[in-house]
Amino acid sequence: MAGWCQLERLGATVEDVAGWVRTGEVVRVRRGAYAVAGVWKEAAPDERYRLTVRCVMLSRGAVETASRHSALALRQLPLWDVDRGLVVLSGDVAATATRTGLRVAPIRGLAAPDEVDGLRCEAVPDSLVTTASFCVTAGVVAADAALRRGLCTLEDVQEAAERLIPGIRGRRRVRTMVKNLDPTAESPGESLTRLLLGALGLPFRSQAEIRDPAGWLVGRVDFLVAGRVVVEFDGAVKYAGAEGRDALVAEKRREDGLRALGYAVVRVTWDDLRRPELVRSRVRAALSRAAA
């Protein structure tokens, strides 16, 4: 990843760069910002957006600070329901200016930035709060991961929320995000499943341990609803390959053990998360079976 000024310092000419773009060796991410084609083409959406943020910042001389979900991307935190077509920076400007694919906003009450791989980056709690001010789900998914990785504490997020709320829109969304965080979530899918169960008004515990009458641990489950229904998020990726087959067998044995103790098990997939009413009906049916 490089901006034109970096390529120029390396001795590249305009003709060189144009030639690399024509032959497919280099991808032009935006004006004055370039990425190695092989790296770009193999990158997943989150990683491609991270590369875009780096390219844009380098092309502008790295004088600004990555903000909001652009800051989350530089830290390789999960992105959910954010605009990957927009790079958000903060800098010494009087008013927010937006043009195609880029927004530069004033620095208003933000903590001192950190540095990530040589680029200035909004402090983790601040970027979580500013992201949540636009989308609760985006904030929760990233914040759960940040808390689990130890990048910040819940107290840090609360402090940032109180400091920034007076000067931003979306105050209710920020407060909702802070109330719905859980550092035990092991994946974005688990964070989203937890939010869905909460939105459906179902009583549940996260990361609940299930033991048999003798006290032996049968398993730790993602969610235990109303004390009788186990809800697990299933991303399916863990079942790929030979190791995945072993994991699938172990998972089946665990589920058999849970059912033998009278628990019903409901698995939630990525597709299910888009159909909340389906999840509600499946969980309610499982509750009825468990009570019979």
Side-chain angles (χ1 to χ4, degrees):
M1 298 78 63
W4 167 244
C5 53
Q6 285 77 36
L7 292 173
E8 194 174 32
R9 282 200 294 268
L10 292 172
T13 65
V14 173
E15 291 75 18
D16 290 332
V17 176
W20 296 335
V21 172
R22 278 197 307 272
T23 59
E25 298 172 79
V26 167
V27 172
R28 181 179 179 273
V29 176
R30 59 177 285 125
R31 183 178 180 181
Y34 304 89
V36 176
V39 174
W40 180 261
K41 290 174 182 176
E42 293 177 7
D46 281 8
E47 175 62 9
R48 186 171 286 193
Y49 179 68
R50 187 183 74 86
L51 294 175
T52 300
V53 174
R54 286 189 56 80
C55 285
V56 169
M57 294 186 73
L58 290 170
S59 72
R60 295 173 62 84
V63 297
E64 292 142 335
T65 299
S67 293
R68 226 168 82 197
H69 63 282
S70 296
L72 301 180
L74 289 187
R75 298 182 190 279
Q76 296 180 291
L77 286 166
L79 305 177
W80 182 264
D81 203 14
V82 299
D83 185 358
R84 292 188 181 87
L86 180 68
V87 173
V88 185
L89 308 178
S90 57
D92 187 17
V93 294
T96 299
T98 304
R99 58 185 182 183
T100 306
L102 175 65
R103 177 172 298 160
V104 181
I107 300 173
R108 292 173 178 161
L110 296 173
D114 300 323
E115 189 172 288
V116 176
D117 295 332
L119 297 174
R120 284 191 291 189
C121 188
E122 200 171 74
V124 175
D126 289 20
S127 56
L128 296 172
V129 168
T130 53
T131 298
S133 70
F134 287 85
C135 176
V136 173
T137 307
V140 170
V141 167
D144 279 357
L147 293 171
R148 185 170 180 81
R149 283 169 50 183
L151 298 181
C152 63
T153 66
L154 181 56
E155 291 73 23
D156 293 334
V157 180
Q158 291 169 334
E159 183 279 327
E162 292 307 310
R163 171 166 42 83
L164 294 174
I165 274 177
I168 61 176
R169 297 177 180 177
R171 299 181 182 112
R172 182 177 298 177
R173 287 189 286 269
V174 171
R175 292 190 176 100
T176 300
M177 181 268 287
V178 173
K179 290 191 298 186
N180 283 279
L181 299 183
D182 185 350
T184 68
E186 296 178 344
S187 70
E190 285 188 26
S191 298
L192 294 167
T193 302
R194 187 182 74 250
L195 290 176
L196 175 56
L197 292 175
L200 294 176
L202 299 168
F204 65 91
R205 288 191 291 126
S206 303
Q207 300 300 325
E209 290 188 349
I210 307 295
R211 297 182 180 273
D212 65 17
W216 292 99
L217 179 65
V218 177
R220 188 182 68 169
V221 301
D222 293 343
F223 307 97
L224 182 61
V225 178
R228 297 310 304 165
V229 173
V230 170
V231 176
E232 295 271 72
F233 173 75
D234 190 349
V237 176
K238 61 185 177 183
Y239 302 131
E243 291 184 4
R245 288 193 295 272
D246 292 340
L248 184 59
V249 170
E251 191 69 20
K252 185 179 184 307
R253 287 174 180 162
R254 187 179 75 123
E255 282 196 17
D256 289 343
L258 293 169
R259 290 192 173 96
L261 291 173
Y263 293 95
V265 179
V266 174
R267 288 196 164 274
V268 176
T269 66
W270 286 112
D271 285 342
D272 295 335
L273 289 172
R274 299 182 179 91
R275 298 178 290 177
E277 290 307 315
L278 173 65
V279 176
R280 186 207 297 268
S281 63
R282 289 173 57 197
V283 172
R284 290 198 182 285
L287 285 168
S288 298
R289 291 197 304 272

